[in-house]
Amino acid sequence: MTAADTPARARGRFDARAIPPLLADWACVAIFVVLGKENHGYEKGVTWFLTVWWPLAVGVLIGGLIMRIYTDDAEWPGRLLATIAIAVMVGGPLRALTGRPMYSVFTVVALFVLSLLMYGWRLLAIAVRQARARS
């Protein structure tokens, strides 16, 4: 594929514009972990947080790279869903490395909550951009 054939919304292999969405997705993982902590009453601090956060954060990064969610805006809703599924599939075995169960209700909850959060911030950003464009 030549540069002339590349869709207008696709960016190069690395683009600094990919960093904020990745950080926002990692923030979604952090929110998910904090919500879990609140629901389960864990009072174990930063070490516990990082132990739970990193497997899913790595999964989000791997899923995002595979699905090019951070470098190509075309057909993003389906590719985001695949990114989230990959994140949970990768995060499960990595989670097992921390001594936590790999497959459980956690998987279903992670898919649901991460979908809400990761689609949510993107839809909110789109709505804000459209509102600014109208004014």
Side-chain angles (χ1 to χ4, degrees):
M1 183 179 256
T2 66
D5 298 329
T6 305
R9 294 182 294 189
R11 296 184 290 274
R13 291 203 182 271
F14 177 78
D15 188 324
R17 293 177 291 174
I19 295 171
L22 173 62
L23 294 177
D25 287 343
W26 280 349
C28 292
V29 174
I31 291 167
F32 170 68
V33 171
V34 168
L35 290 173
K37 179 181 177 186
E38 294 302 317
N39 287 337
H40 298 294
Y42 297 131
E43 302 294 333
K44 298 184 180 179
V46 174
T47 303
W48 176 87
F49 172 84
L50 291 174
T51 300
V52 176
W53 178 82
W54 80 263
L56 279 174
V58 169
V60 165
L61 176 62
I62 291 170
L65 291 173
I66 291 170
M67 296 309 301
R68 297 181 3 257
I69 196 73
Y70 303 115
T71 58
D72 187 355
D73 297 328
E75 301 175 10
W76 69 268
R79 288 186 301 107
L80 179 59
L81 184 60
T83 298
I84 294 165
I86 292 167
V88 174
M89 288 187 325
V90 168
L94 292 177
R95 177 179 159 93
L97 294 175
T98 68
R100 304 181 77 71
M102 187 166 91
Y103 299 106
S104 65
V105 173
F106 176 86
T107 302
V108 174
V109 172
L111 286 169
F112 178 75
V113 174
L114 288 176
S115 293
L116 282 177
L117 294 170
M118 291 169 70
Y119 275 97
W121 80 255
R122 283 172 171 84
L123 293 173
L124 183 59
I126 290 168
V128 168
R129 275 195 304 267
Q130 288 176 346
R132 285 183 183 162
R134 282 189 293 244
S135 48

